Amino acid sequence: MSNCKGKSLRIVNVASNCGFTRQYKALEALYQKYKHQDFIILAFPSNQFLQEHSSKEKIQAFCELNYHISFPLFAPIRVNG
């Protein structure tokens, strides 16, 4: 996370297997628009709602193939509880 110091961050909980999956398209557009102004999107998937692929590698492959994301995507985390 030290590479984020001094930058503007948007930290998002994402899902790649639900009605909000299309958010990746808008997030990538936002990232492309502002990445040269020290802006980073940090995407954290979670499978606590059973709407996610089983591993970071599968999530990453899905997102790159379908939405061409280039912002950081982290391993799945717990977002509640």
Side-chain angles (χ1 to χ4, degrees), residues 35-52:
K35 71 179 182 179
H36 301 294
Q37 296 177 20
D38 288 331
F39 173 76
I40 300 175
I41 292 174
L42 304 177
F44 291 89
S46 174
N47 197 28
Q48 285 182 275
F49 310 104
L50 305 175
Q51 298 174 324
E52 195 56 86

Side-chain angles (χ1 to χ4, degrees), residues 13-31:
N13 170 235
V14 293
S16 60
N17 212 9
C18 75
F20 295 111
T21 301
R22 64 185 178 277
Q23 71 182 330
Y24 284 112
K25 183 177 180 181
L27 289 170
E28 181 61 23
L30 184 67
Y31 180 63

Side-chain angles (χ1 to χ4, degrees), residues 8-9 23 25 73 81:
S8 296
L9 305 176
Q23 71 182 330
K25 183 177 180 181
L73 179 69

Side-chain angles (χ1 to χ4, degrees), residues 33-76:
K33 184 174 182 177
Y34 295 107
K35 71 179 182 179
H36 301 294
Q37 296 177 20
D38 288 331
F39 173 76
I40 300 175
I41 292 174
L42 304 177
F44 291 89
S46 174
N47 197 28
Q48 285 182 275
F49 310 104
L50 305 175
Q51 298 174 324
E52 195 56 86
H53 294 280
S54 61
S55 69
K56 179 186 178 195
E57 293 76 22
K58 287 183 179 181
I59 299 166
Q60 186 80 41
F62 172 85
C63 292
E64 287 175 0
L65 176 67
N66 293 291
Y67 295 97
H68 312 290
I69 67 161
S70 58
F71 52 83
L73 179 69
F74 291 81

